[in-house]
Amino acid sequence: MRDKYIQTAESVTEGHPDKLCDTIADTVLDNCLEYDPSARVACEALATAGKILVAGEITAKVIPDIPAIVARTVQKAGYETEYEIEVITHDQSTDIAEAVGGDKTASPQQGAGDQGIMYGYACWETVELLPAPVVLANRITSLLTTCREEKLISGIGPDGKAQVSVQYAFGVPERVDTIVISCQHDADKDPTELREELRRLVIARACHDVRIDENTKIFINPSGRFVLGGFEADTGLTGRKLMVDTYGGLAPHGGGALSGKDGTKVDRSGAYMARYVAKNIVAAGLADVCTVSLAYAIGQAEPVAVEIDTQESGYYDDAFLTEAVRSVFDFTPTGMIRALDLDKPFFAEVCNNCHFMHPQAAWEQTDKTEKLRMACAELEDERT
């Protein structure tokens, strides 16, 4: 194992243009699921100065008032500017609908809504079972939003980013090496006051369990001014913050976006299930670190591949753990939707500050640890 090395991850606030587009897409999805748990939704948002476009495929019993959803979501994020809103949606392709729905008289199982590879990851180094830089970066952006909404810091805007580099010693987070924060602010906000407030109310709280020392480098608004933000300063697009949504680039990613998609889309359900499995493996003490990979073929219910990689940290070998996992978890779209409550309208709640930092989410529970241990014990008995 390496002695000294640094790992880095970033996060963005709820008012970041890309993240706000994710929130719009997931709020549309939630409104569809509220009236129709079997709704098929693939919603995208694109936004720039003065214009927001929502597009995609929606098949649902009730099509919500999308312009009203957009207006409420943008206002809730902290922006008062008016936008022209355009909506272009149509039904899901009949070819895809038939492949996903299958022959319900023959089988109740739904097929996967697309092909693809999904990854889940967990490690022991934080209570969230995520890499320390991911946790710290997302704490910072969450606190930026809290400080703005609760007026703990005056004169800051909704748009912002954070990046955290953590130094490790023999695999253990040792200290924070670098913090970068870009925080939107009013034109008359005093930069010195802003830096002091962010250090005291955001950085100190976010990094309470990883040491900041005299050599930690802290950059706050390193570009100088950050007055113009949101869609007025930068185009936003759904699905452009894949690493922020997941593991900060510190674990593999299959490339599929999460937001705006219902549970039949394995880009989302598979990514959540893979995280659920990986987290339970680590929580059960069966490995220190775990990557779960799932692969699907469109229209097929069962995954074409399930693989476990514990980087040789597992109590059992990876093939053994894979067999145990397949006996405990249902990886069909129907099984994943049922296990993770993916037909419920709550996606807008979890699309900000990493999809895996929300303790209320079903995929963040560690309720399968005992079943995993038992499955491993039974497999061990069969082989002796």
Side-chain angles (χ1 to χ4, degrees), residues 32-349:
C32 291
L33 292 174
E34 184 176 354
Y35 297 100
D36 182 4
S38 63
R40 303 279 171 78
V41 180
C43 182
E44 310 285 350
L46 168 69
T48 188
K51 179 83 171 182
I52 299 174
L53 170 65
V54 178
E57 300 79 52
I58 300 177
T59 301
K61 293 176 182 176
V62 177
I63 303 298
D65 184 347
I66 294 177
I69 290 170
V70 172
R72 287 196 303 269
T73 305
V74 171
Q75 186 175 38
K76 184 179 178 182
Y79 296 104
E80 299 297 332
T81 308
E82 292 187 359
Y83 296 89
E84 177 190 351
I85 300 169
E86 184 176 359
V87 177
I88 306 173
T89 64
H90 55 85
D91 286 345
Q92 184 181 55
S93 157
T94 54
D95 292 344
I96 295 175
E98 289 175 6
V100 173
D103 182 359
K104 291 184 173 19
T105 61
S107 172
Q109 291 286 6
Q110 291 178 315
D114 203 349
Q115 66 185 49
I117 309 160
M118 298 86 223
Y119 293 94
Y121 181 79
C123 59
W124 61 269
E125 61 190 69
T126 62
V127 295
E128 295 87 352
L129 302 186
L130 288 168
V134 173
V135 172
L136 299 184
N138 280 287
R139 283 182 188 167
I140 288 173
T141 53
S142 180
L143 281 166
L144 285 175
T145 298
T146 298
C147 286
R148 176 182 60 82
E149 291 179 340
E150 297 185 2
K151 296 181 171 48
L152 300 175
I153 300 176
S154 62
I156 61 173
D159 200 353
K161 284 186 173 184
Q163 181 176 292
V164 179
S165 300
V166 173
Q167 181 176 300
Y168 288 71
F170 298 104
V172 178
E174 184 181 40
R175 55 180 291 274
V176 178
D177 181 81
T178 307
I179 297 172
V180 183
I181 297 178
S182 294
C183 177
Q184 185 186 6
H185 58 85
D186 293 347
D188 58 354
K189 179 70 176 180
D190 180 75
T192 303
E193 179 186 17
L194 178 60
R195 284 193 292 270
E196 190 280 327
E197 289 174 320
L198 291 179
R199 283 174 177 267
R200 177 169 51 88
L201 296 174
V202 174
I203 294 173
R205 293 181 181 183
C207 302
H208 62 85
D209 48 359
V210 182
R211 177 166 54 94
I212 294 177
D213 57 29
E214 66 277 5
N215 295 316
T216 298
K217 300 176 286 293
I218 299 177
F219 300 96
I220 295 175
N221 286 347
S223 66
R225 277 169 58 91
F226 186 5
V227 174
L228 194 63
F231 303 144
E232 298 300 313
D234 194 7
T235 299
L237 182 63
T238 307
R240 200 156 57 179
K241 286 291 173 281
L242 304 186
M243 300 307 155
V244 170
D245 287 343
T246 54
Y247 309 103
L250 302 179
H253 196 295
L258 302 178
S259 289
K261 299 176 180 178
D262 70 85
T264 66
K265 279 71 171 176
V266 289
D267 281 344
R268 184 168 218 161
S269 53
Y272 289 169
M273 179 58 84
R275 163 64 175 170
Y276 185 41
V277 174
K279 188 170 184 179
N280 274 272
I281 286 173
V282 173
L286 298 174
D288 293 336
V289 58
C290 181
T291 301
V292 176
S293 62
L294 307 175
Y296 289 86
I298 188 168
Q300 301 300 304
E302 293 289 344
V304 299
V306 177
E307 298 291 335
I308 306 293
D309 179 7
T310 62
Q311 299 178 27
E312 299 184 348
S313 72
Y315 186 82
Y316 301 98
D317 66 51
D318 292 344
F320 184 99
L321 275 177
T322 300
E323 190 173 347
V325 160
R326 296 200 75 150
S327 72
V328 172
F329 296 92
D330 183 350
F331 292 103
T332 64
T334 299
M336 295 189 294
I337 290 169
R338 183 185 302 118
L340 303 179
D341 293 328
L342 300 183
D343 56 357
K344 306 293 192 303
F346 70 109
F347 290 102
E349 295 178 20

